[in-house]
């Protein structure tokens, strides 16, 4: 690794390779995406079938962002909008609400996901009826999800744990700091604790670019760098590597040691979680403005950061 930040096109080129590989898997019918809490037991492999992949697996009561991908056996669905209707499956099975989910294109124009805000009034099993009616595609599908009373991960409105994470100066070099092959030095200047207490908004991304379960952690860190370039001096931008000993892993995760901040923030208490990225936007008081499980686009991060910057 080097302490000099290469041109961003180099960073994008390296991340693009991983995105291309996972896109090929989706096109062939493989669901290379975050594990859902509860989904349809089998994919429909008929030619025009619409199949969902849940990206937001940590769901609790109240309003929150919900993200999902839609695929067919041949391709990823990229219609501009999808209609989502929630229904509680226990008790009276009352319908919750109907919302429009917006499609957000991921880097390089290859993949993307839908996101919307849904409110789950009660814990338990909920069904999401999802439909798309577009000039290019029309179809419907369902997701069944488990909604908990609360979340193990720091939530909106909370001040998260003030973890004393590594910085470039304390680690002595990138080899002990990150698995990013082209690290941006600006993302390793302050600890999480310092970012929370600074009096400025902050964007904190937990990810492991080299060992992500899906190939989105590298692009997620690139997106953080792009957001930083737009808001130099306005907020703190911090990347936290999932693993504490990146130089010792060398492709063998049996040697990996999870960094303390990952335990502090509750990710290791998520059933089935395995190093997928999380991103948090904090306001000036250090409270969480928004949180994102899995990949989040520059557009979505920008919107949340602007809201945090607008708060007094």
């Amino acid at each position: 690794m080097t302490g000099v930040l290469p041109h961003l096109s180099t960073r994008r080129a390296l991340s693009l390779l991983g995105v291309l590989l996972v896109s090929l898997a989706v096109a062939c019918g493989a669901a290379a995406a975050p594990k859902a809490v509860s989904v349809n037991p089998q994919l429909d492999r008929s030619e025009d079938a619409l199949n969902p992949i849940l990206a937001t697996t940590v769901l609790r009561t109240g309003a929150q962002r919900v993200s999902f991908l839609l695929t067919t056996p041949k391709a990823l669905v990229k219609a501009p909008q999808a209609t989502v209707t929630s229904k509680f499956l226990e008790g009276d099975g009352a319908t919750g609400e109907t919302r429009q989910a917006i499609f957000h294109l991921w880097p390089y124009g290859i993949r993307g996901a839908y996101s919307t805000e849904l409110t789950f009034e009660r814990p338990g099993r909920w069904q999401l009826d999802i439909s798309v009616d577009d000039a290019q595609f029309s179809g419907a599908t369902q997701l069944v999800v488990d909604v908990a009373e609360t979340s193990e991960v720091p939530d909106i409105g909370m001040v998260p744990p003030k973890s004393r994470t590594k910085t470039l100066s304390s680690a002595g070099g990138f080899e002990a700091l990150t698995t990013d092959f082209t690290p941006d030095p600006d993302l390793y200047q302050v600890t999480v604790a310092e970012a929370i207490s600074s009096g400025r908004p902050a964007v904190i991304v937990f990810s492991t670019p080299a060992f992500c379960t899906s190939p989105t952690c590298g692009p997620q860190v690139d997106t953080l760098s792009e957001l930083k370039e737009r808001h130099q001096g306005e907020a703190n931008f911090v990347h936290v590597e999932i693993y504490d000993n990146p130089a010792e892993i060398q492709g063998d995760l049996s040697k990996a040691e999870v960094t303390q901040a990952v335990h502090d923030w509750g990710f290791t208490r998520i059933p089935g979680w395995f190093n997928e990225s999380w991103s948090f936007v904090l306001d000036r008081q250090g409270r969480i403005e928004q949180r994102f499980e899995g990949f989040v686009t520059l557009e979505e991060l920008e919107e949340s950061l602007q809201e945090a910057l607008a708060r007094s």
Side-chain angles (χ1 to χ4, degrees):
M1 295 185 186
T2 176
V4 179
L5 177 64
H7 192 276
L8 190 58
S9 62
T10 303
R11 295 169 57 80
R12 288 176 172 172
L14 290 172
S15 297
L16 176 58
L17 177 60
V19 178
L20 284 169
L21 291 174
V22 78
S23 299
L24 178 61
V26 170
C28 295
K35 179 181 178 182
V37 173
S38 179
V39 297
N40 297 340
Q42 291 184 338
L43 294 178
D44 185 344
R45 300 193 181 279
S46 57
E47 184 175 348
D48 296 325
L50 183 64
N51 291 302
I53 302 172
L54 185 64
T56 308
T57 67
V58 178
L59 297 170
R60 43 75 179 155
T61 54
Q64 65 215 279
R65 172 185 179 267
V66 178
S67 180
F68 56 88
L69 289 76
L70 296 175
T71 72
T72 70
K74 293 184 177 181
L76 185 76
V77 176
K78 300 179 182 179
Q81 293 185 344
T83 301
V84 182
T85 299
S86 59
K87 180 172 65 177
F88 189 58
L89 292 181
E90 302 172 16
D92 56 11
T95 298
E97 58 186 332
T98 297
R99 301 294 296 268
Q100 293 299 308
I102 306 301
F103 181 78
H104 296 278
L105 193 64
W106 291 357
Y108 322 115
I110 297 173
R111 300 193 74 196
Y114 293 87
S115 65
T116 189
E117 183 175 280
L118 293 175
T119 299
F120 300 102
E121 295 181 352
R122 290 170 281 184
R125 292 172 64 79
W126 288 73
Q127 179 173 297
L128 305 182
D129 294 325
I130 303 170
S131 62
V132 174
D133 188 6
D134 181 72
Q136 302 298 319
F137 183 87
S138 180
T141 187
Q142 295 175 339
L143 275 171
V144 176
V145 300
D146 295 324
V147 176
E149 182 72 44
T150 58
S151 170
E152 294 282 3
V153 178
D155 212 339
I156 296 169
M158 294 175 54
V159 175
K162 296 182 179 180
S163 301
R164 298 193 175 278
T165 50
K166 296 177 183 178
T167 64
L168 187 55
S169 60
S170 68
F174 288 118
E175 290 80 2
L177 188 61
T178 177
T179 62
D180 194 339
F181 290 108
T182 57
D184 179 348
D186 291 343
L187 305 184
Y188 308 96
Q189 297 300 314
V190 298
T191 67
V192 166
E194 291 168 339
I196 293 172
S197 303
S198 69
R200 294 196 299 181
V203 184
I204 301 172
V205 170
F206 290 81
S207 72
T208 179
F211 300 110
C212 197
T213 306
S214 65
T216 58
C217 292
Q220 189 66 82
V221 178
D222 289 346
T223 301
L224 180 63
S225 287
E226 291 186 62
L227 185 68
K228 176 213 66 179
E229 293 297 329
R230 293 186 178 188
H231 297 278
Q232 289 276 9
E234 298 180 72
N236 292 301
F237 300 89
V238 181
H239 169 227
V240 182
E241 170 63 46
I242 299 297
Y243 297 114
D244 194 51
N245 57 334
E248 300 173 13
I249 299 173
Q250 297 179 348
D252 184 359
L253 279 180
S254 66
K255 302 177 182 178
E257 299 175 5
V258 174
T259 191
Q260 182 59 44
V262 170
H263 295 295
D264 295 344
W265 286 56
F267 306 128
T268 52
R269 295 191 292 273
I270 301 172
W273 179 81
F274 184 62
N275 74 28
E276 281 295 321
S277 64
W278 280 79
S279 301
F280 298 82
V281 177
L282 279 58
D283 65 17
R284 299 179 192 277
Q285 287 71 47
R287 297 187 181 278
I288 297 173
E289 177 78 29
Q290 186 57 277
R291 70 177 189 179
F292 303 92
E293 179 185 355
F295 187 81
V296 53
T297 63
L298 179 62
E299 175 188 11
E300 293 173 283
L301 282 175
E302 175 75 43
E303 180 180 350
S304 294
L305 180 56
Q306 290 288 3
E307 292 176 0
L309 287 166
R311 294 184 186 275
S312 58

